[in-house]
Amino acid sequence: MAEMAVELVAVEERLWSGTATMVVAQTTEGEIGVMPGHEPVLGQLIEGGVVAITTSDGERMVAAVDGGFISITARSVTVLAESAEWAKDIDVDAVRRTLDEAGDDEEAAARARGRLRAVERQ
């Protein structure tokens, strides 16, 4: 099975690096699915987005990401996010409280909704 090198990096840490068979990310142009051999693309990630990685072992890993970029070549995908958090580590109750308290803060609301979507997609 074809593989590609994938890195998921946030400003403060590298969350994951390894090989994968597919990456799905939400960009400002829409959701993009990437498999090995994809044409080169540079995309901007949305605030409150989700990135899903299917590893070479068949494991599905989902992260909530806030802004940043995705760089795609035929052999690699690099996700450079402003912030990222694994869906399995998200405290859903805390996120719902944040969403309830966001009020007019659209950025906070978008991030909270993105975290909830990540949990739903894992």
Side-chain angles (χ1 to χ4, degrees):
M1 177 173 281
E3 300 177 334
M4 58 191 166
V6 177
E7 283 191 298
L8 174 57
V9 181
V11 171
E12 295 184 10
E13 68 177 314
R14 179 181 357 195
L15 274 77
W16 189 79
S17 179
T19 59
T21 58
M22 184 162 195
V23 176
V24 177
Q26 295 176 312
T27 72
T28 56
E29 298 296 317
E31 190 168 86
I32 185 171
V34 181
M35 296 176 72
H38 197 285
E39 288 294 316
V41 174
L42 180 63
Q44 183 178 357
L45 301 171
I46 64 169
E47 291 293 328
V50 176
V51 171
I53 301 167
T54 303
T55 70
S56 296
D57 297 334
E59 180 183 1
R60 181 174 162 83
M61 302 178 347
V62 179
V65 298
D66 293 315
F69 297 92
I70 183 168
S71 174
I72 301 164
T73 70
R75 295 187 180 121
S76 68
V77 174
T78 304
V79 177
L80 302 169
E82 291 176 27
S83 67
E85 181 178 9
W86 292 117
K88 63 183 177 70
D89 298 333
I90 294 173
D91 180 342
V92 174
D93 293 331
V95 172
R96 287 192 177 126
R97 282 192 301 276
T98 299
L99 189 56
D100 290 342
E101 297 167 0
D104 292 336
D105 188 347
E106 288 299 319
E107 188 174 314
R111 287 181 177 164
R113 286 191 295 272
R115 280 166 173 63
L116 291 175
R117 276 193 304 275
V119 170
E120 292 167 358
R121 292 185 182 193
Q122 66 177 339

